[in-house]
Amino acid sequence: MAAYLVNLKKTSEGLIVLPVCWLSWMWNHGTRVAVPVLAPYLTEKYSLTVFEAAVLSGITYLSFYGFMIVSGQAVVRIGYKRSVALSTLGAALLFAFAGYAPTTLMLFLLLFLTGFSLSLYLPAAIPWLSGLFNSSKRGLVVGIHESAAPTGQTLGPVFVAVAAALLALEQVFVAWAVIATLAGVLIILLAKPTPSMVVQAARDAQLMSIKRLGIIIIVTLGVLIGNLGVLPLIPIYLVNVFGLERGFVATLVGLSRLLGLIGQPVGGYLSDRFGRLTLITILTILTFLSTAYIAYAPFNILYIVFLVIQATATAMYFPVVYALISEEARAYASIQIGRLLFVSGLLGPTLTAFVMGYLAETFSYTIAFTYPLIFTLLSVVAVPWLRKAPHK
């Protein structure tokens, strides 16, 4: 009876924290995608070169993934609630100030620091939410939270595009930052305090071996490169090689990501039912097959089907791997998640776009798409080793 009451108390708190964290994570993703949408407006205001505009579009991603290596350590020291609140409110303030940056250098610095603040969020939110619900629902809860990512990727660009048509550019930054400010204030007011995890994290540091985390990184790297890494080249490829109309291609690529909205909670739920590693195996195989089809097949109805499969498989993967790390690494999960995203994020979507662009321009699109295919194959090969690698 006592255990039931404890679980009930945890669940009731989780039902308060989950929607607020969902709003914060939606804004987090939306901000990183919205910056490229604002690049043309900022190019005009600051007279940016093409190179500077390209760097501007990727600068928050660079700092977001780059600072993940220290974000997990910070979370362990200051606690989950304070980390989420600091990340959300800090990023909102920095982003709002970026709209009023007097110089190009200050604009770049503020957006870089915005990415740094954003990086503090996920290593805190995932283990926090995982601990607030019964373990049998962990995958589903993380999946519901992760559905904020595709929502933000859709709403962020739409919001700033509409706002830019109605407001001054400086006001667009402030208007978008209001959403994060609301989320941060609600976290402070509604969530219960969470303690520092330094002592417990030190005890749990050995629960997930370096070998096991390394294999998880290899698998994640392949999934990330197989989807987000190839995404910047797919529209150009479809237009230049198959002669498709640009508006149709943009719509097609955008719609292919929509199933990720429901794919993430479904992926988490299925991993609760059938096991994390079973679902990871299936999703890595689907990622490899869909990437191979996209790389070598002609454009037809099946091409569209595999675009959807690829995007949905990636969306389903992340709730599963986050739940896996949370339940195995426990209080040390913040640090392990930070390490995972630091390596896979920098080598995955951050680097792959540059490599594929070079290969396509220097050699051919076929060779360019072979690059991510190699990594997705490595993911498939690595999964059986994940089953064997000790986690204690």
Side-chain angles (χ1 to χ4, degrees):
M1 183 63 179
Y4 172 78
L5 291 175
V6 170
N7 285 332
L8 184 63
K9 183 179 180 181
K10 287 171 60 179
T11 301
S12 62
E13 183 183 358
L15 292 175
I16 295 173
V17 173
L18 178 57
V20 181
C21 282
W22 187 96
L23 180 62
S24 180
W25 188 225
M26 183 279 294
W27 189 87
N28 190 305
H29 257 276
T31 301
R32 284 176 279 138
V33 179
V35 172
V37 175
L38 290 170
Y41 300 93
L42 294 168
T43 297
E44 181 181 357
K45 178 180 178 179
Y46 294 95
S47 300
L48 303 179
T49 65
V50 174
F51 174 75
E52 287 172 336
V55 173
L56 178 74
S57 296
I59 197 167
T60 51
Y61 275 100
L62 178 63
S63 55
F64 176 80
Y65 287 117
F67 281 105
M68 278 291 175
I69 194 68
V70 296
S71 293
Q73 299 280 356
V75 168
V76 165
R77 283 167 172 74
I78 65 179
Y80 299 142
K81 175 183 175 178
R82 279 176 287 186
S83 296
V84 171
L86 181 62
S87 172
T88 306
L89 291 173
L93 186 64
L94 289 163
F95 189 77
F97 282 160
Y100 292 89
T103 64
T104 302
L105 179 61
M106 185 60 69
L107 172 67
F108 276 63
L109 177 61
L110 287 169
L111 289 177
F112 183 81
L113 292 175
T114 298
F116 164 64
S117 187
L118 293 173
S119 73
L120 194 62
Y121 174 83
L122 198 63
I126 294 297
W128 188 16
L129 290 170
S130 296
L132 289 176
F133 291 87
N134 189 286
S135 60
S136 63
K137 295 180 176 62
R138 181 172 290 131
L140 175 61
V141 168
V142 175
I144 292 172
H145 173 263
E146 284 302 296
S147 69
T151 305
Q153 290 169 2
T154 302
L155 291 184
V158 171
F159 182 97
V160 297
V162 172
L166 301 174
L167 304 171
L169 184 57
E170 296 84 357
Q171 295 171 336
V172 174
F173 282 80
V174 174
W176 180 243
V178 167
I179 298 173
T181 303
L182 173 63
V185 170
L186 288 174
I187 289 167
I188 292 173
L189 294 178
L190 300 180
K192 295 180 180 179
T194 57
S196 168
M197 305 293 290
V198 173
V199 175
Q200 189 60 46
R203 294 173 182 165
D204 294 344
Q206 304 304 317
L207 292 177
M208 178 176 284
S209 68
I210 295 176
K211 177 182 178 182
R212 186 167 181 80
L213 178 64
I215 296 172
I216 291 174
I217 289 174
I218 292 172
V219 175
T220 303
L221 185 61
V223 174
L224 263 178
I225 289 179
N227 189 316
L228 297 182
V230 306
L231 187 58
L233 195 64
I234 287 176
I236 301 173
Y237 173 64
L238 293 178
V239 171
N240 291 349
V241 174
F242 297 111
L244 301 180
E245 197 271 325
R246 286 175 295 180
F248 170 74
V249 169
T251 302
L252 173 63
V253 172
L255 290 178
S256 71
R257 262 80 193 140
L258 277 181
L259 279 183
L261 185 61
I262 60 172
Q264 289 175 314
V266 169
Y269 170 76
L270 291 176
S271 74
D272 288 335
R273 287 287 308 275
F274 303 107
R276 316 285 185 221
L277 296 181
T278 298
L279 203 61
I280 287 175
T281 302
I282 295 170
L283 295 175
T284 53
I285 292 172
L286 287 175
T287 301
F288 170 72
L289 293 176
S290 57
T291 303
Y293 196 92
I294 290 168
Y296 302 129
F299 183 81
N300 50 32
I301 188 64
L302 278 179
Y303 197 99
I304 298 175
V305 170
F306 277 106
L307 273 178
V308 174
I309 290 174
Q310 187 196 57
T312 307
T314 303
M316 293 175 70
Y317 171 81
F318 281 96
V320 182
V321 76
Y322 290 153
L324 178 72
I325 294 175
S326 294
E327 60 196 11
E328 291 189 6
R330 299 178 190 173
Y332 203 69
S334 296
I335 295 173
Q336 299 293 48
I337 289 173
R339 290 170 174 172
L340 169 70
L341 292 175
F342 172 75
V343 178
S344 61
L346 288 180
L347 295 182
T350 304
L351 179 63
T352 300
F354 294 100
V355 174
M356 290 189 66
Y358 170 78
L359 292 175
E361 186 173 337
T362 306
F363 300 101
S364 68
Y365 284 106
T366 300
I367 291 177
F369 279 111
T370 300
Y371 174 81
L373 192 61
I374 293 171
F375 286 92
T376 58
L377 179 60
L378 283 176
S379 287
V380 175
V381 173
V383 169
W385 293 96
L386 189 58
R387 292 181 176 275
K388 298 176 183 179
H391 63 274
K392 292 184 179 180

